Amino acid sequence: VQLQASGGGLVQAGGSLRLSCAASGNIVSDNAMGWYRQGPGQDRELVAAITSGGRTNVVSSVKGRFTISRDNAKNTMYLQMTSLKPEDTAVYFCKYWTTAMPPQYISWGQGTLVTVSS
């Protein structure tokens, strides 16, 4: 599975951005997708995830500001980010993984940079 992330950019604090992650290739029905981010000098961390069935998990640091969604017909995942803060500055990566029987298959996208100015 190949992932193409887009939508990053420069935004002022308090602004909004929407990230997209388009998946292509051999996409199975039992899967999940997620957004991770890696800030300067920091480890990559989970931001939000969503299963093919629509169950979501959003980390507390962005809950209420970020919304994850997906369009299975388009094999595309989105991250709507509002009330952005300078600490949200990071490279955002999308990830796809299978959730049925092992072995698990994982694929990462190339990342898109989000810069929030104060």
Side-chain angles (χ1 to χ4, degrees):
V1 173
Q2 294 77 46
L3 303 175
Q4 181 69 44
S6 61
L10 174 63
V11 63
Q12 288 188 331
S16 300
L17 281 175
R18 189 176 83 152
L19 306 183
S20 299
C21 177
S24 61
N26 186 24
I27 300 166
V28 300
S29 57
D30 294 325
N31 70 74
M33 297 180 73
W35 289 100
Y36 288 70
R37 66 185 181 186
Q38 187 166 16
Q42 298 179 352
D43 294 331
R44 191 173 298 188
E45 63 177 3
L46 173 68
V47 176
I50 184 168
T51 69
S52 51
R55 287 195 304 171
T56 62
N57 176 35
V58 181
V59 299
S60 58
S61 60
V62 305
K63 192 167 288 186
R65 300 189 297 121
F66 292 10
T67 302
I68 188 169
S69 62
R70 64 188 289 171
D71 183 336
N72 289 334
K74 296 181 179 180
N75 293 321
T76 301
M77 173 182 64
Y78 305 97
L79 185 68
Q80 179 67 50
M81 305 186 293
T82 63
S83 301
L84 282 160
K85 304 176 181 180
E87 52 263 42
D88 295 318
T89 294
V91 178
Y92 284 70
F93 298 89
C94 55
K95 177 184 176 183
Y96 163 97
W97 64 97
T98 57
T99 57
M101 297 292 290
Q104 186 180 60
Y105 173 84
I106 296 172
S107 180
W108 287 92
Q110 86 285 6
T112 185
L113 177 62
V114 172
T115 304
V116 184
S117 62
S118 57

